[in-house]
Amino acid sequence: MTEERRRAERKVGLARLWARARQIVTTDPSPSDDDDRVVDEEAARVLAAQAGKLKGGLAKVAQLAAYDPGATLGKNRGATAAARAMLGSLWDRAPSLGGGAIANVIEADLGKTPQALFARWDAQPLAAASLGQVHAATLADGTEVVVKVQYPGVADALRADLDDADFVRRLAGAEIGRSIDPAAIAVLASAVRGELDYRAEAAAQTRFATAWQGDPVLRVPRVIDELSSTRVLTMTRAPGKPVVDIAAAGSPELRRRAALGIYQAAWGSPLVHRLLNADPNPGNFLIDVAADDHVHVWCLDFGCAIELPEAARDADRELWWGLLDDDSERAAERFRMALGRSGLLVRTDTMATVAHRDWERALHAPLGTHGDFHWSAAYASDLADATGRVLAAGGVALPADVLLLWRQRLGAAAVIAMLDARAPFRRLLLELVGHGKRTLR
């Protein structure tokens, strides 16, 4: 499959060349920003088509490019809204497989056809993504469920793609991938391979559900173990609308509450519960307004999830306690000492550089105000850019044990930015982790 993926990538490159050639023949041959937009959008169209057909690793790269502010489709950083929309369809609206192929996977793994296992089975999928598609069904007791089924053959294809280190770098995200070392590449490849084991995903999903049980905002669907296997995952059906819908039509208050919920899931899970879902793409959240007007954020897809070592969680907490400290001099000292303890700091002499200070400023921005912070696309882009520059400067690095944590963090920052919300992120983080100061007894 690696060769098929490379052929698909060559088609994307040829699409760019042909689009540019048409412009040279029919318009002013000197390039312009508008020309670049047209070329990038043609490249996105072909990439979406090829990724939808091949699925697997190429679809994952395309999914990431749809919201990663540092991703490029050509010579320019970022992508237009139209290009992102084309790629964003791969989050949950990729071309699906026929019902027969999916039914064969279910029967092979669970011993019966879906029609025999469920009181009602919808052969038309609700969603289709990079590794599998989701079908609605009903249990005998009337419980509404969804059944996630892995595409036949996709496991071998993805494993072959993940043997290519340069390809794995692309899965890290544009700003991180250029700087990670072989050990970190191996960790990321292993985590993505783990997405092929739905039993492991079910266990991770249950851990997240237990961690946030009783929380007024966060919700996680319940796994139906007896109807799950390595390639089939059955869970209760989550209500709600996708992030893209809330971003497009939600009120400022709904977008605010949705942004806080995603922030709580993304920052709070590792900092409070040592649980990390390293794949925070927008398709993995549903926003539901309950009858009592409470907003619930449903968290989905735990295939790329790990449990952080306690030492890694504690070192990461120190970073954020430093950023939350109101005393600027003490805050800087706490943050930089924590950088060293966490293994991120490589050279102390770079802490005075513009790149390093810009990175600290970007991390601190949502926490520097006691009121609402405007988490915009510009902020997410600034954070991604500052992270890329500080990594390129060589003073800060992402060792293997924290790579997934920072990959998740930058991805979640981009998802929150889609909601363009103003919210008290500092207050929420303080509620989650406190200020980390010891009190005298």
Side-chain angles (χ1 to χ4, degrees):
M1 177 58 81
T2 296
E3 185 53 42
E4 289 185 43
R5 189 250 304 162
R6 287 173 178 156
R7 282 199 296 269
E9 290 173 326
R10 285 195 289 271
K11 288 181 181 178
V12 176
L14 286 171
R16 290 187 55 81
L17 288 173
W18 278 114
R20 181 60 185 139
R22 287 196 301 270
Q23 290 172 330
I24 292 173
V25 171
T26 60
T27 62
D28 183 350
S30 60
S32 68
D33 289 343
D34 191 57
D35 288 340
D36 291 336
R37 175 187 60 77
V38 171
V39 171
D40 284 354
E41 289 171 11
E42 176 63 11
R45 184 189 67 78
V46 176
L47 175 57
Q50 293 298 314
K53 181 173 69 174
L54 289 184
K55 308 188 187 304
L58 187 62
K60 285 194 162 295
V61 167
Q63 287 175 333
L64 183 62
Y67 69 95
D68 179 1
T72 60
L73 292 169
K75 69 177 184 179
N76 295 323
R77 186 175 180 277
T80 67
R84 290 187 186 281
M86 293 174 196
L87 298 175
S89 66
L90 296 167
W91 293 329
D92 56 9
R93 298 189 305 279
S96 60
L97 258 60
I102 292 299
N104 288 341
V105 173
I106 293 175
E107 187 170 8
D109 275 29
L110 299 181
K112 295 181 180 180
T113 65
Q115 290 80 7
L117 290 167
F118 301 98
R120 181 186 64 83
W121 169 259
D122 191 346
Q124 184 67 29
L126 286 172
S130 59
L131 302 182
Q133 61 193 52
V134 177
H135 291 255
T138 306
L139 303 184
D141 64 2
T143 302
E144 296 291 325
V145 298
V146 294
V147 186
K148 178 178 173 181
V149 186
Q150 192 174 114
Y151 300 127
V154 78
D156 290 341
L158 182 63
R159 291 187 185 107
D161 285 339
L162 294 173
D163 288 337
D164 182 341
D166 288 338
F167 185 77
V168 177
R169 287 184 185 277
R170 295 169 63 188
L171 290 174
E175 303 299 355
I176 292 178
R178 288 187 284 268
S179 304
I180 57 176
D181 62 19
I185 289 173
V187 165
L188 177 55
S190 176
V192 176
R193 284 189 196 98
E195 295 187 48
L196 296 167
D197 183 355
Y198 287 3
R199 284 288 189 195
E201 179 176 349
Q205 184 166 323
T206 299
R207 286 195 296 271
F208 274 81
T210 301
W212 291 112
Q213 187 173 12
D215 187 83
V217 176
L218 298 186
R219 297 286 186 274
V220 178
R222 176 172 60 88
V223 172
I224 312 298
D225 287 311
E226 62 271 22
L227 291 171
S228 299
S229 67
T230 301
R231 296 185 297 168
V232 180
L233 177 56
T234 303
M235 69 196 87
T236 52
R237 185 169 180 175
K241 296 181 179 180
V243 170
V244 289
D245 292 354
I246 301 301
S251 67
E253 177 60 16
L254 180 55
R255 288 186 283 110
R256 169 185 173 276
R257 292 161 75 179
L260 286 172
I262 295 172
Y263 183 77
Q264 178 181 341
W267 267 255
S269 294
L271 287 169
V272 178
H273 301 294
R274 295 197 291 119
L275 298 175
L276 174 67
N277 184 359
D279 183 18
N281 89 57
N284 293 345
F285 299 99
L286 291 176
I287 314 301
D288 178 49
V289 181
D292 58 4
D293 203 37
H294 279 81
V295 173
H296 298 148
V297 174
W298 285 86
C299 304
L300 314 173
D301 198 337
F302 297 89
C304 192
I306 63 169
E307 189 167 352
L308 291 174
E310 191 169 348
R313 189 277 307 273
D314 291 348
D316 192 52
R317 272 188 173 184
E318 291 286 346
L319 287 173
W320 298 97
W321 282 334
L323 293 168
L324 285 166
D325 201 314
D326 281 323
D327 184 308
S328 59
E329 290 188 10
R330 184 174 59 208
E333 179 68 14
R334 289 183 74 182
F335 177 79
R336 292 167 186 178
M337 291 292 290
L339 277 182
R341 284 194 291 271
S342 64
L344 273 72
L345 187 62
V346 178
R347 291 168 41 208
T348 57
D349 62 311
T350 62
M351 287 194 291
T353 63
V354 171
H356 189 99
R357 291 187 181 278
D358 284 349
W359 182 58
E360 289 191 16
R361 175 189 53 77
L363 287 174
H364 181 257
L367 311 177
T369 174
H370 287 255
D372 288 348
F373 173 76
H374 183 197
W375 200 302
S376 63
Y379 168 66
S381 181
D382 182 37
L383 176 61
D385 182 59
T387 302
R389 285 189 288 110
V390 78
L391 291 171
V396 170
L398 296 178
D401 59 343
V402 296
L403 167 68
L404 294 177
L405 182 60
W406 285 88
R407 176 186 188 251
Q408 177 254 24
R409 208 156 265 161
L410 290 180
V415 175
I416 294 169
M418 293 172 66
L419 295 161
D420 195 38
R422 298 180 185 272
F425 298 100
R426 173 191 171 86
R427 186 179 72 196
L428 177 57
L429 189 59
L430 275 170
E431 290 173 358
L432 289 168
V433 301
H435 51 57
K437 297 175 184 175
R438 294 182 177 85
T439 57
L440 295 176
R441 295 181 181 271

